[in-house]
Amino acid sequence: MRYVIALKQNKKIAVFAALGLVAALAVTFVAVSRASHLDVNYSWINDNDVNCHPAGSVVNGGVWTAEIRNNGPEDIFIEKAAFHDPQAGCSATTHTLRQDVFSMSGETHYSVGETNRTTFTYNVGAFNCGRVQIDAAYRSATGSGDGFVFLGEMINYGVDCPSTIPPAETGRIRVINKEVNTNRDIFACWTLVRENPPQRWTDQCAVEHTYANFPFGRYTIEVQPGITHDFDHVDPVGWQNLGSGTPGGLIQWIVYWRPKAVTPPPPPPP
C-alpha cells in the first residue's frame, strides 16, 4: 500500500480549501489547514481524481475507504459532515447540514502508531435535486480541534430543488460546549434529536454549532462521551420547542464538561 502525505499530494482537498469551505464553517466542522504538529498519512482504496460527481456516476456507488496511519505525536479521531444545497452545481457549500445521509464505519479513533481503515458511505438516493458536499477530517484527540480535511467531494444532481419550506416555519438550533467553572471552550460531540417526525442528526462534533433553517418541532440533544473531559450537566435539561413563538427563532443548549480525573500512580512498595 502506497501512502500519500496529507495536504502535499492531496489535490482534491486543495481544491476545496481554495473554494473557501473552511472560512464558511468558522468554528464548526473543519480546520483551516493541516495542523503542523500532526503526522498523519493515508491512502485511498477506491477513489479517483474527480471532485464533482454527477449523481449517476458517483465513485463506487458513494463509498470511499481510506487506510490511515497515525504517526503521532497524539491520538486522532475521524469526523464527517454532509451539506445539501438546493442549487445544483459544483461550488463548495455549507447550506444545510445533513449528517443523516453520510455515515462512517470502521476505525474512528487512531492511537499513536496505529494503522487501520475508515469507510465513508453517502446515500446517493437521499436527494434528486441540488448538490451535496461531503467532507471528512482527522482531528487531535486532545480537545484542541486541530486537524485537517482529507476528503472533499461534491455530488451534483443537475437540477435545482423547488422552494418548499417557507422561512416562517423554520428556526435555528445552537449547541455550545464549555468547561464547567472556567467557561473555557471545549471541543465535544453530540446527537440532535427531533421528536416528531422522529429524526436523529448524529456525529456532530464542534466547540459551537448552529443548525440553520430547521423545521419547527420539539428537539433535544444527547451528549457523547468526551475524550479529555467528562459530561457534567446541560442547560436547559430535556426537550425544547422551536416554533413561531420562540424568542429570536433560536433554541440552544450549553453543555458543561469537567476535566477527566487523573488516577494517581500506586504508591511504591515498602
Side-chain angles (χ1 to χ4, degrees), residues 18-261:
L19 288 171
L21 166 64
V22 173
L25 284 176
V27 297
T28 57
F29 173 64
V30 293
V32 171
S33 62
R34 184 186 181 191
S36 59
H37 69 286
L38 296 177
D39 185 3
V40 179
N41 304 100
Y42 60 87
S43 176
W44 289 107
I45 309 303
N46 54 342
D47 199 5
N48 57 27
D49 291 330
V50 178
N51 290 123
C52 187
H53 308 264
S57 59
V58 180
V59 171
N60 203 35
V63 179
W64 292 262
T65 299
E67 184 159 301
I68 300 171
R69 182 171 66 209
N70 179 22
N71 301 308
E74 55 210 30
D75 289 5
I76 61 169
F77 66 92
I78 309 301
E79 61 179 12
K80 52 84 177 177
F83 304 91
H84 178 247
D85 194 300
Q87 291 188 335
C90 292
S91 299
T93 181
T94 57
H95 188 278
T96 301
L97 183 69
R98 287 297 304 266
Q99 294 285 53
D100 56 310
V101 302
F102 187 43
S103 61
M104 60 182 177
S105 58
E107 189 60 63
T108 57
H109 185 281
Y110 288 78
S111 302
V112 175
E114 180 178 359
T115 298
N116 217 318
R117 291 184 178 183
T118 304
T119 295
F120 304 91
T121 303
Y122 170 64
N123 179 9
V124 180
F127 303 99
N128 58 14
C129 59
R131 67 187 190 275
V132 174
Q133 178 171 313
I134 58 174
D135 301 298
Y138 61 78
R139 282 194 184 277
S140 166
T142 63
S144 66
D146 293 342
F148 181 68
V149 183
F150 62 91
L151 173 66
E153 307 284 344
M154 187 72 68
I155 294 85
N156 178 26
Y157 289 85
V159 294
D160 293 345
C161 299
S163 178
T164 57
I165 302 178
E169 297 179 2
T170 64
R172 295 172 297 142
I173 303 171
R174 181 176 298 150
V175 179
I176 303 171
N177 292 285
K178 294 288 186 181
E179 186 176 73
V180 68
N181 298 325
T182 68
N183 214 39
R184 184 168 65 92
D185 290 342
I186 295 297
F187 189 88
C189 302
W190 67 90
T191 295
L192 177 68
V193 182
R194 183 174 64 195
E195 183 179 53
N196 189 29
Q199 189 166 349
R200 299 170 64 86
W201 291 265
T202 60
D203 301 320
Q204 177 65 57
C205 300
V207 172
E208 176 181 332
H209 182 74
T210 300
Y211 301 84
N213 302 317
F214 260 53
F216 288 167
R218 275 168 54 85
Y219 294 86
T220 190
I221 60 169
E222 299 172 357
V223 298
Q224 299 176 16
I227 297 173
T228 60
H229 287 66
D230 290 322
F231 171 72
D232 189 87
H233 69 281
V234 60
D235 181 26
V237 175
W239 295 87
Q240 293 194 69
N241 290 311
L242 180 64
S244 57
T246 302
L250 170 71
I251 57 175
Q252 74 172 25
W253 287 268
I254 302 178
V255 185
Y256 291 95
W257 301 82
R258 61 180 182 276
K260 286 184 178 291

